[in-house]
Amino acid sequence: AERRAEVESLQRRFADEQAGLTERHTTEVGRLKRESEKAVAAVERLIEAREQRDGLRAELRDPFDPTGRNGPLLYVIVATGNIHEDVIQAQAAAQAGADAIAVIRSTAQSLLDYVPHGATTEGFGGTYATQENFRIMRRALDEEGRRLGRYIRLTNYCSGLCMPEIAALGAMERLDFLL
């Protein structure tokens, strides 16, 4: 009888542990499913951004020729520290013939372990690389490109502690080059 009680006790403990494992497994499977759905949505967003960029390049005359027959692209740097002033300089450069605009990052942004948020107006020796700044400049260059009838490329920099994060933001906002 004592042995039987011990066996029944072990069986109950095993059943309780198994139920706990099943519950944890179900929770984990649900979490993994949600994370997988988020990853698929993120990849779809990147594909959509690339298709949008490729569509605009096809719509407008893209000066880039991989064989080099058109010569090199004219690459102009803007770096006021204020994204709104950078837009004005970038538009003027495009009107003067620039094919690619490079927005120089603020001094020492590569040492930050976070990506600043929003439109920035107080960079030092350059403008902070933020998703909103990428979006503002891309929109301005798309508008200017439509006025000029040619595609204008956008470049920024992503080296440093937040390189993967800045690269992802650049891809989402249709930057053409990241250095």
Side-chain angles (χ1 to χ4, degrees), residues 94-111:
Q95 291 164 11
D99 300 308
I101 304 297
V103 181
I104 300 297
R105 282 188 311 176
S106 185
T107 300
Q109 183 174 355
S110 62
L111 302 176

Side-chain angles (χ1 to χ4, degrees), residues 8-73:
E8 287 174 357
S9 173
L10 286 172
Q11 285 174 333
R12 279 192 304 276
R13 242 179 55 208
F14 178 75
D16 290 346
E17 286 179 21
Q18 191 174 20
L21 287 174
T22 301
E23 184 180 322
R24 284 193 297 272
H25 175 74
T26 301
T27 301
E28 183 66 10
V29 167
R31 186 189 67 75
L32 290 173
K33 184 175 185 231
R34 288 188 303 278
E35 295 302 321
S36 175
E37 289 167 354
K38 288 179 187 177
V40 167
V43 169
E44 287 172 349
R45 181 173 178 200
L46 292 174
I47 290 169
E48 182 181 307
R50 182 179 181 146
E51 288 172 350
Q52 185 180 4
R53 183 184 65 207
D54 291 347
L56 189 58
R57 287 176 60 199
E59 175 188 330
L60 302 174
R61 185 180 59 79
D62 185 356
F64 180 69
D65 174 14
T67 65
R69 287 184 294 222
N70 295 343
L73 294 175

